[in-house]
Amino acid sequence: MNKELQAFKKLLQDHGMFATKPRLQLFELLQQYPALKISELISLLSFHDQATVYRNIKIFEQLGVINRLRLGWESKLELSDLFQHHHHHMTCIKCGAVTTLPEDRLLEQQIAKIVHNYNFVITDHQIELRGICKLCKEE
Ligand SMILES: [Zn+2]
Ligand SMILES: [Zn+2]
């Protein structure tokens, strides 16, 4: 079992929740794909009880397991920094493609520097660049 999955199980346990099959399957899918729409997630799951999916997504959000990437009126879900390397995104507003950007140490340092004067402690952050991807630009 990978260590993220173990950490996920422990997090559930610490909150008095069971590591049910749907929860584990949701988590594993989110590990496999960089970002998924809820509809994509549902089509990939072996169980099709949408109420269970929505309920568990809500729990995942409350526990800080996932981030929601806004995509117009829709959104995509991905695992939070707790379960994968910190990174930023580029999202295409036409086709919805999400590109994960490599971590940039200088940028991270710069962010820390900017808030330093405000006596503010960052617990986490997300940067999402929205625009038109290469493929959509060529159309
Ligand atoms: Zn595109
Ligand atoms: Zn960052």
Side-chain angles (χ1 to χ4, degrees):
M1 196 197 304
N2 60 54
K3 73 175 195 314
E4 286 81 16
L5 191 61
Q6 258 170 327
F8 172 64
K9 281 187 171 179
K10 184 163 185 311
L11 185 73
L12 287 173
Q13 218 172 33
D14 290 347
H15 288 82
M17 290 179 200
F18 293 108
T20 58
K21 255 203 183 118
R23 285 173 190 159
L24 293 178
Q25 206 188 356
L26 270 172
F27 186 83
E28 281 170 332
L29 277 173
L30 288 163
Q31 278 194 311
Q32 281 169 42
Y33 297 88
L36 286 170
K37 286 182 197 164
I38 294 176
S39 57
E40 292 170 333
L41 202 54
I42 288 170
S43 68
L44 288 164
L45 289 164
S46 64
F47 58 97
H48 294 288
D49 174 12
Q50 296 202 7
T52 305
V53 179
Y54 282 100
R55 197 173 54 241
N56 282 311
I57 287 170
K58 207 172 155 198
I59 290 170
F60 280 25
E61 280 189 302
Q62 283 162 352
L63 296 178
V65 174
I66 51 173
N67 294 327
R68 208 179 262 266
L69 308 171
R70 281 184 306 114
L71 202 71
W73 51 273
E74 263 190 307
S75 56
K76 282 194 174 187
L77 306 175
E78 68 155 18
L79 291 178
S80 71
D81 291 351
L82 284 177
F83 298 102
Q84 63 174 335
H85 270 296
H86 174 68
H87 58 264
H88 303 152
H89 300 98
M90 284 190 308
T91 304
C92 176
I93 56 171
K94 274 192 147 176
C95 69
V98 174
T99 308
T100 299
L101 295 167
E103 193 176 353
D104 185 326
R105 242 169 246 285
L106 275 178
L107 180 56
E108 298 299 323
Q109 284 170 6
Q110 195 60 33
I111 291 166
K113 223 165 100 185
I114 291 166
V115 299
H116 185 76
N117 294 332
Y118 298 86
N119 196 14
F120 183 85
V121 179
I122 305 177
T123 51
D124 68 277
H125 72 256
Q126 292 178 46
I127 295 181
E128 194 187 353
L129 308 167
R130 275 185 286 276
I132 315 287
C133 77
K134 195 174 171 230
L135 288 174
C136 290
K137 221 169 68 187
E138 282 166 1
E139 259 174 26

